[in-house]
Amino acid sequence: MDALRSALQPVTHNLPGPIRDIGLSLIGESCYKKLILDIDFENNPECVKLGISKALGIGIVAASSIVKVPQIIKLVNSKSASGVSFLSYLLETSSLLTSLAYNVRNGFPFSTFGETALILGQNVIISVLVLKYSGRAGIAALFVAVLAVGVATLFSEQLLNMQQLSYLQAGAGVLGVASKVPQIVAILQEGGTGQLSAFAVFNYLAGSLSRIFTTLQEVDDKLILYGFIAGFALNLVLALQMVYYWNAPSAKARGKQKVPAGPIPAAASSSATATGASTSSEPRAKSKGPTTRRRG
């Protein structure tokens, strides 16, 4: 360790100003000195945990910027909302918006909630696409309008005080958990995952697990912690469904599969042939009748 420290310290002591400032803002002056300048990990476990938490938080925020892009692409390319529950996205979007306002107004570190804003924006796009491809484009405009009103209300201290917002945050935790239930049910009813993105599902699973760790390290708030724990449990169910139905066609796809026609029995075939021949051999009746026109 001493040899590694001797090799790295000339680098860590001469980091560019912007990088040094980022490190100080993330882990603080004390931990920056112990971990970066002194490179002393053995005697500073708390700083090591904080450093890991910050790294995970930044990773989650970075990954969240694209976590639902594959879902958006699948919807646009297929022009189908099969297997994707609008109710699930509606509940999750409401939960994310409330949590974002709660974290911002409490002044929590951005690395502990930054992905909330990015996922919220992607959720709005997905919700609008699901409504459009489900033949409910008119409701999409109403959805966006209600969302705008919610933003104005939740971020306004004049309209909503912190005590009231804390109650809403408790409800947001319940909504966040409940948002997974319609999606789980939709997969069961479809008999497959349809247009649901595996990338989004597995990233959500990893992200919710990481958020449990970062919340324990940096945020002393049980409401947020319990929400992440419950969310991880249901994200695990979705991930297991994704694995189970990986190659299974949806119920609609199975319904479209044509049943191959079997061979026609010989007896029925000969009977039909005979009937056709008999019918064609019968003489046609004359259509003309006797005339009734008067003479003279």
Side-chain angles (χ1 to χ4, degrees):
M1 188 65 187
D2 290 337
L4 180 62
R5 186 179 293 113
S6 300
L8 291 178
Q9 278 183 332
V11 177
T12 60
H13 280 260
N14 294 282
L15 291 172
I19 296 178
R20 183 177 63 252
D21 293 341
I22 292 173
L24 288 169
S25 66
L26 288 175
I27 60 177
E29 187 174 351
S30 175
C31 284
Y32 183 86
K33 181 181 182 302
K34 294 172 183 176
L35 298 181
I36 307 301
L37 299 180
D38 298 340
I39 312 181
D40 184 8
F41 302 124
E42 300 97 328
N43 301 317
N44 300 284
E46 292 303 317
C47 285
V48 171
K49 290 179 182 179
L50 178 61
I52 293 172
S53 176
K54 291 294 185 182
L56 284 173
I58 293 171
I60 293 170
V61 172
S64 68
S65 63
I66 61 167
V67 68
K68 295 202 173 182
V69 171
Q71 181 68 79
I72 295 171
I73 293 173
K74 287 191 75 172
L75 288 169
V76 172
N77 288 342
S78 67
K79 293 183 172 24
S80 167
S82 171
V84 183
S85 168
F86 170 71
L87 178 58
S88 177
Y89 274 94
L90 175 63
L91 294 175
E92 185 182 43
T93 301
S94 303
S95 172
L96 289 172
L97 179 58
T98 305
S99 294
L100 179 62
Y102 183 79
N103 280 278
V104 169
R105 290 177 59 177
N106 271 295
F108 292 142
F110 182 75
S111 62
T112 64
F113 71 89
E115 78 280 2
T116 303
L118 298 173
I119 295 174
L120 175 62
Q122 294 169 73
N123 266 16
V124 173
I125 296 173
I126 292 171
S127 299
V128 171
L129 289 174
V130 169
L131 288 171
K132 177 183 176 182
Y133 295 136
S134 301
R136 295 176 288 175
I139 300 177
L142 178 62
F143 168 73
V144 174
V146 171
L147 194 66
V149 173
V151 170
T153 303
L154 290 169
F155 283 87
S156 173
E157 295 182 3
Q158 288 74 29
L159 296 176
L160 201 67
N161 60 42
M162 282 306 301
Q163 184 64 38
Q164 294 169 327
L165 186 57
S166 65
Y167 294 145
L168 290 179
Q169 174 59 30
V174 177
L175 279 180
V177 174
S179 69
K180 308 297 179 185
V181 176
Q183 185 62 72
I184 292 171
V185 173
I187 292 173
L188 290 173
Q189 290 175 342
E190 289 278 336
T193 55
Q195 301 305 317
L196 190 63
S197 168
F199 179 82
V201 170
F202 289 114
N203 270 272
Y204 252 53
L205 179 66
S208 57
L209 179 60
S210 300
R211 272 294 170 232
I212 294 173
F213 179 78
T214 61
T215 303
L216 286 170
Q217 293 301 314
E218 301 183 59
V219 179
D220 185 18
D221 194 309
K222 300 300 182 186
L223 287 175
I224 295 177
L225 176 62
Y226 294 153
F228 282 130
I229 292 174
F232 170 76
L234 290 180
N235 281 330
L236 180 60
V237 174
L238 277 173
L240 292 174
Q241 283 184 315
M242 183 63 69
V243 173
Y244 181 78
Y245 291 113
W246 190 264
N247 292 317
S250 67
K252 291 182 179 179
R254 288 196 302 270
K256 290 180 181 179
Q257 292 177 353
K258 293 182 178 180
V259 179
I264 301 174
S269 178
S270 60
S271 173
T273 305
T275 303
S278 172
T279 304
S280 61
S281 64
E282 290 179 359
R284 292 184 180 179
K286 293 182 179 180
S287 58
K288 289 185 177 181
T291 180
T292 58
R293 192 173 63 174
R294 296 175 61 187
R295 297 179 183 273

